[in-house]
Each structure stands twice: as C-alpha cells, then as structure tokens.
Amino acid sequence: MMRSSESFDLFWERVILLQEKYGVQEPLLPRKRKAPTHLEVGSSTGYFHITVKELYRQQYFECLDLVISAVRERFDQPGYAVLLNLESLLLKAAKKEEYSEELHFVLKHYHDDFADASRLETQLELLGVMFSSTTEKLNPTLDAVKYHVSSLSLAQRASISDVCSLLKLIYVTPATNAVSERSASVLRRVKTYLRSTMTQMRLNNIMILHAHKERTDALSIPSCLNEFVALNDHRLDVFGKF
C-alpha cells in the first residue's frame, strides 16, 4: 500500500540515497511567510513544518490523493461498468464459468435488445461449447472470442445471433470520446469552403480515413483500385486491372 507512513519512509530513503549519489543539494525548508490578512481565519498563528521530511510527507500524501481521485473519476463511471459487464459475460461464458450477475446486469441495461433472456442464456452456453475446442479455451481474450465467432459459418453465427449482438455492442460503444473530438477538430481541414458541396456519405468516408490514418496507410492501393474498377464494366473497360 503506497499510502502509508512506511511507504513514504522507503521513498524518502531512496530519494536521499539518490541525492547523495548525484551530488544534488539537500532539500531545504521554504522561508516562513505569513498569510495575507484577508486570507486568515481566526487569530491563531499559521502552521509551519519543523523538518524537511515532514514537509515532503504532506506533499507525498497530497500527490497520492490527487492521483487516486483522478483515476477513480476517470474509470468509476457508469459507461465503464456496462463495458466491464459485457466483456466479463462473454469471457466467463467462453470459459464456462458462472456469469449470473453479469447476465442480470446486461439484461437489465439492454432489456430492449435482449427481450428473450432464456435464448441469450442458451446461446452463451452454446458459445462455451464452441469455444472449448479452441487452443485458448483456458485463458480466452475478447479478441480471441471475436476471432472465433467471425470464423464461424453464417449458419453457426445465426445460432448465436445474440452473442454476436453482444460483441457488436462492445466494439461500437466508445470507451472515450477522443476519436469523436479528434474528428470534429479536423472537420474544417477536410471540408473546406472549396469542398462544401460534397455529400454526407463522402464526408463520412473521408473523415473515417482521416481519423484512422494508421489503418488507411496499411491499405493496399492496388487492391482498392481493383475493387473500384470491378464495380461496373465501364470502369473495367476504361481502367483495366491494376
């Protein structure tokens, strides 16, 4: 536990050893300053630290409290609870573990999407049976479950349609709004006053290419050109194959 006096003592000893090793000047107490009159409350005198270690002990705990508060504010959100239960439900079903709590949460949150609870539960059991034949059955990941489901035939995927819906919910639910903010910030560069007549579909496609540059750079240009040419015979006659 980092937030303890023992942890600070170890941290302080480590800092002093590094200070002696590199010849850094010893820490000093700041000059005592009286607070402005308009900020004082009552008639008691202000508190001043006696030792340097006491001063940095206070700052140590203040920093830890700030970090812990920021992490909790960042991750203890309702949206993360939904994603966590969705992921846990699929992983536990793939490992054939108990998932009643996660199932209850998902059915309560997505009651309109999964009206038939018994069908979803049956398909989760079927997922465990299907996934038991894979090499990652002991420690499956979400990507492994997705890959396994995508490798199934259309008839097999139709038999676990609700499981496919769970996967879609996980992958289309944004964990953060960074991508949407980045897309909004580049909108002015993509749709300028000279390009103001483009259609909404074209704008969406260009924004996706611009926001996901790493995937755009990985595309095969000849494959894209051949797919474009193969859409109709006229393009094939004009451009041929690349």
Side-chain angles (χ1 to χ4, degrees), residues 10-29:
L10 293 174
F11 172 76
W12 179 258
E13 292 174 3
R14 177 65 175 168
V15 171
I16 295 301
L17 289 175
L18 292 175
Q19 174 253 321
E20 294 175 353
K21 178 180 179 180
Y22 295 106
V24 181
Q25 183 181 1
E26 295 183 0
L28 302 174
L29 283 172

Side-chain angles (χ1 to χ4, degrees), residues 14 17 38 72 202 215 223 230:
R14 177 65 175 168
L17 289 175
H38 68 280
R72 286 177 176 173
R202 179 180 175 83
R215 300 188 64 177
S223 299

Side-chain angles (χ1 to χ4, degrees), residues 40 55 73 79 94 107 127 132 134 148 171 174 183 191 198 227:
E40 291 185 348
L55 170 65
E73 183 180 359
L107 290 175
L127 173 67
S132 60
T134 63
H148 176 71
Y171 280 97
S183 300
K191 187 176 181 180
M198 71 172 66
E227 184 177 352

Side-chain angles (χ1 to χ4, degrees), residues 8 12 27-31 47-62:
F8 171 76
W12 179 258
L28 302 174
L29 283 172
R31 183 171 61 88
Y47 175 78
F48 299 99
H49 296 283
I50 301 176
T51 63
V52 177
K53 185 176 180 180
E54 183 182 355
L55 170 65
Y56 284 99
R57 182 191 300 273
Q58 176 186 345
Q59 296 182 3
Y60 174 83
F61 286 111
E62 287 179 354

